Every structure is written in C-alpha cells, then in structure tokens.
Amino acid sequence: MKNINFKKYHGCGNDFIIVKESDILGIDITTFVIDICNRYTGIGADGLMIDMDNTIEMKFYNQDGRSGTMCGNGLRSFCAYLQDIKKVTTNKFDVITPAGIMKINMLNNNPYIFNVNLGKPSFNSKTLQIDTTKKDFINQIIKFKEKDIVCTAVFIGTKHLVVFVNNIDDLYNEELGIFLSKNPLFIDDINVDFVYVIDENNVQMKTYERGVGFTKACGTGACATYIVSKLQNNELTSLSVHMDLGTLKISDISNDIIMEGPAEKICEGTFNWRK
C-alpha cells in the first residue's frame, strides 16, 4: 500500500484531485488516476492534475486515465491550489500546461476568482482530429435517429463539438452525447457541449466530456460555446455561460479567449492506494 497526499478543488462543480509529482514517482499513472478518481472506491473526481516539481506546470488526466491537453475549470482549480500552497504569491502569473503557457490574473482571493487567457481558437479539422476532407467542421450535419444534428467543432486547448438545443434537460441528450462524442468522425473522441440560448448574452450549457460523461461544468466548453455563438453574432462581446453549479463569463481580446470564473478548495487528505 502507498499513502499519497492529495488536495481536491472544484470550479463550478467540476471537481479535480491534485497531487505532487514527487509523491507519485514510479507508479503507473493510468491505473492510479482511474483508482483515485473512482467515486465509489477512491476519492472521486472528474479528473486529476499533477503539480510538477520545480516549475509552475500542471499535467492533466481525465477520469478514465487518459491524458488531456486542457481543462478550464481544472486550470482555475490548479491556480487556487498554487495560491494556497504559496507556490505562487502574485496576482498575475503563467502556468505551463500541455496546451501551452496560460496567462492568469487573480481578480479575487476570497473567494478565488481567476481571469484566464486561453489563447486563440482553431477550426482546423486536422487540429481537431476529424476524419474529413473538409478544412473545418462548421454547421455540419450528423444524422441521429433520422434527425439532423447541426454541429460545429472548435479547438480551444482541447476538442469541442457545440450543438444548440431546444431543451437542455431532454434525457435524449445523454444518448446523443455518447453518440456524438464517440462518433467515428472524431478520432480519439470529442467533448460535446449542448447549449440552450436564454437571450443574447446568456446561455445554459451541459457538457458530455470524453472519458468522463456528463459533468457539472466545463470551462473550455463554455469558451467553445462563446466562440461558436460569436460565429452567429459577430457583435457579441461577452457571454455568461450558466451550468448546474456556477456561471462563467467568456469574452475575447484580439481573438484571444478570456475565461473568468471561480475555484474553491473542497478537502485534502491521504489516499491509501492498495497497489
């Protein structure tokens, strides 16, 4: 048995475990992530982040043990963790991620509110790993049970498919989420964001995350929703994306996507890993 210290945070209900690199050296990371993120026999979380030694850097893993490139709520949670352990003591700082260096601005520390620059989006089908000859995947039709599902794919640190719906709570969304996320068109799967428009500046969103399923929130999904919404309304300057347990405000500066939202510590402890 190995005792591993952890801390747990969430952003709008999207929850994450954070461990130090030095505490997990030499272990099988895929098995460890699956075990500790299990909600019945582990600590339980949507994903895990590793605080890399001697640098301001995070590695991210989905609940199923697969490595990920970016997670908006996870990044803000990691930033709150960095502040709590005093690894970062300034309001403005950079975090190295698998998707590149992210610029962070802490707007408040009680509660934590962070402004994050996620960079410029891409619609390139190759970047999105879509099996198509089309340069991009904008307003494309995917058939589901004889229905035409209008989809737009965008990369903003990770891969997202945005679908506007008339009823965000329609149970058929779960079946549709699985169908779209694992569709053969999308190599290595894709995150799917279902979006209901409340008004010009407010939407409701639910995300089916690859390797996880439906989550309470998704930061990069909120960004993808803003990006696709702006394709339809070029005058859009900001969008409040409402999710089950919180709201993110998304905007852009010179096409760089800016995400603003909270992060909060849940608990900390020791995981008794029986491996």
Side-chain angles (χ1 to χ4, degrees):
M1 181 167 61
K2 186 174 178 64
N3 297 325
I4 299 173
N5 294 325
F6 74 91
K7 297 181 189 296
K8 185 176 178 181
Y9 286 74
H10 81 94
C12 298
N14 206 185
D15 56 343
F16 306 92
I17 294 164
I18 304 174
V19 297
K20 292 185 176 181
E21 180 188 17
S22 56
D23 289 342
I24 60 168
L25 290 176
I27 71 171
D28 180 71
I29 188 64
T30 300
T31 303
F32 172 68
V33 171
I34 292 170
D35 286 350
I36 197 170
C37 289
N38 189 296
R39 295 194 182 276
Y40 302 100
T41 58
I43 303 304
D46 290 327
L48 176 136
M49 290 170 289
I50 300 174
D51 173 15
M52 304 301 289
D53 297 341
N54 306 315
T55 183
I56 309 301
E57 179 180 1
M58 77 168 200
K59 296 288 174 108
F60 173 70
Y61 292 85
N62 288 309
Q63 188 186 73
D64 66 351
R66 287 190 293 180
S67 61
T69 51
M70 175 46 56
C71 176
N73 290 317
L75 178 57
R76 294 196 321 281
S77 294
F78 189 74
C79 292
Y81 159 87
L82 292 174
Q83 292 285 338
D84 283 343
I85 67 169
K86 303 294 192 291
K87 193 170 181 177
V88 169
T89 56
T90 58
N91 288 350
K92 293 186 178 182
F93 54 98
D94 294 344
V95 176
I96 302 169
T97 78
I101 298 174
M102 300 298 163
K103 295 189 175 300
I104 314 298
N105 183 12
M106 183 173 70
L107 304 178
N108 195 63
N109 65 357
N110 187 26
Y112 283 120
I113 303 290
F114 293 98
N115 177 301
V116 180
N117 186 327
L118 290 171
K120 292 176 172 54
S122 172
F123 295 98
N124 185 276
S125 293
K126 288 184 179 179
T127 301
L128 285 155
Q129 295 180 287
I130 302 176
D131 186 12
T132 178
T133 57
K134 297 179 183 296
K135 183 180 178 181
D136 54 41
F137 201 82
I138 297 174
N139 292 330
Q140 296 298 304
I141 302 294
I142 297 179
K143 288 280 188 182
F144 176 74
K145 293 186 174 180
E146 299 182 356
K147 294 182 180 179
D148 289 343
I149 309 300
V150 182
C151 310
T152 295
V154 59
F155 185 89
I156 182 65
T158 189
K159 304 177 293 184
H160 281 273
L161 190 72
V162 177
V163 180
F164 289 92
V165 296
N166 294 322
N167 183 355
I168 199 73
D169 295 316
D170 192 333
L171 291 177
Y172 114 114
N173 283 347
E174 181 159 10
E175 187 180 357
L176 179 58
I178 296 169
F179 174 81
L180 292 175
S181 179
K182 296 185 174 296
N183 194 288
L185 270 171
F186 306 113
I187 302 166
D188 199 31
D189 302 346
I190 196 167
N191 301 303
V192 184
D193 307 302
F194 294 104
V195 182
Y196 171 74
V197 177
I198 299 171
D199 59 38
E200 187 177 359
N201 295 109
N202 293 271
V203 298
Q204 194 175 0
M205 184 195 79
K206 284 188 176 181
T207 298
Y208 185 94
E209 292 195 31
R210 63 184 188 127
V212 183
F214 275 107
T215 56
K216 292 296 182 183
C218 181
T220 51
C223 293
T225 295
Y226 169 78
I227 294 161
V228 177
S229 296
K230 191 157 185 173
L231 286 179
Q232 300 180 2
N233 176 13
N234 194 47
E235 300 300 315
L236 187 66
T237 57
S238 69
L239 187 68
S240 292
V241 182
H242 305 273
M243 295 160 287
D244 287 351
L245 297 177
T247 299
L248 296 177
K249 183 179 179 181
I250 315 298
S251 58
D252 71 285
I253 299 175
S254 301
N255 293 323
D256 278 6
I257 302 302
I258 309 299
M259 172 186 63
E260 181 182 314
E264 183 178 351
K265 183 178 179 180
I266 299 171
C267 64
E268 62 181 293
T270 302
F271 179 53
N272 301 318
W273 194 40
R274 299 181 180 276
K275 294 291 181 183

